[in-house]
Amino acid sequence: MHQRETGDGGLIEWDGWADIVDIGGNRGVPATFSFSHPGGPEQPAFRFDFGVQDGIPVCTNATVTAKEGVPVRGRDLRIVRLDDLLVSVVQAVAYRRDPDDPPGHWMRGYGPGEDLRYGVSNRRAAERALAKRRNRSPRNSVDLELVARTWLEAPKDGQEAALMAVFGKSRSTVQRYKRQAVEEGYLTEDEGRRK
């Protein structure tokens, strides 16, 4: 079991190289990992368990434990910004692979001495991986290459209509598909604008 302290008293734990799950962008995370914090003198203790569902890191369990004389209050629950916490924890446990590496060949993304506040590009990559909304189809269920090809081959004023016809989805959904194709590099920003 690997452990990493966060500098504020928190502890991130994950099971080394076991079951690394691809989350896109040549990054992977362990199938399960956790973050715990003992809380402050007037705060309860927290523990969050994480996993991966449909290629998206998600919180699978949250436990808040009162201390003697320190009950759990509503404001204690509002203090935790789960989305921000998840981004930081994913960065801490991330593995990476070169695009030319065979599937399943993962390297530690960061050395054990590095601070959790990584560079902007790493944070953005983690945020993009986590920004997929649970009530929408995951990105990997949409053929973004087909989205890009359809967009580029459609007539000048018929790009959205072409996407709607190919995918059988609403205008707002195909606009989201097109944005995803730009974010994932299947279309450039210029190509993603209407012709």
Side-chain angles (χ1 to χ4, degrees), residues 21-35:
V21 180
D22 192 331
I23 60 170
N26 296 314
R27 291 178 177 269
V29 294
T32 60
F33 49 101
S34 67
F35 171 78

Side-chain angles (χ1 to χ4, degrees), residues 102-130:
H105 183 265
W106 296 100
M107 299 172 280
R108 275 296 295 138
Y110 308 100
E114 288 189 69
D115 188 60
L116 292 182
R117 293 164 289 165
Y118 300 120
V120 172
S121 62
N122 292 330
R123 181 167 180 83
R124 285 187 185 143
E127 286 172 343
R128 275 196 305 273
L130 298 171

Side-chain angles (χ1 to χ4, degrees), residues 32-63:
T32 60
F33 49 101
S34 67
F35 171 78
S36 57
H37 196 286
E42 299 296 319
Q43 295 174 324
F46 292 89
R47 178 182 170 91
F48 298 93
D49 295 314
F50 302 102
V52 181
Q53 293 177 359
D54 298 322
I56 305 168
V58 295
C59 181
T60 58
N61 185 52
T63 305

Side-chain angles (χ1 to χ4, degrees), residues 57-170:
V58 295
C59 181
T60 58
N61 185 52
T63 305
V64 183
T65 306
K67 299 176 183 173
E68 187 174 329
V70 182
V72 176
R73 298 165 295 193
R75 69 179 176 183
D76 295 320
L77 301 176
R78 288 189 298 272
I79 288 173
V80 178
R81 297 183 60 174
L82 187 57
D83 290 339
D84 290 343
L85 175 65
L86 183 54
V87 168
S88 294
V89 175
V90 164
Q91 289 175 346
V93 301
Y95 287 79
R96 64 181 171 80
R97 69 178 182 84
D98 292 326
D100 297 331
D101 287 343
H105 183 265
W106 296 100
M107 299 172 280
R108 275 296 295 138
Y110 308 100
E114 288 189 69
D115 188 60
L116 292 182
R117 293 164 289 165
Y118 300 120
V120 172
S121 62
N122 292 330
R123 181 167 180 83
R124 285 187 185 143
E127 286 172 343
R128 275 196 305 273
L130 298 171
K132 304 170 191 175
R133 295 188 181 161
R134 291 180 195 95
N135 62 345
R136 294 181 176 172
S137 299
R139 283 188 185 175
N140 60 5
S141 71
V142 177
D143 184 352
L144 295 179
E145 187 173 283
L146 178 60
V147 170
R149 192 170 56 248
T150 303
W151 181 266
L152 293 172
E153 293 173 358
K156 181 178 180 179
D157 293 318
Q159 293 162 311
E160 287 179 350
L163 289 175
M164 291 168 64
V166 169
F167 291 96
K169 300 289 185 181
S170 69

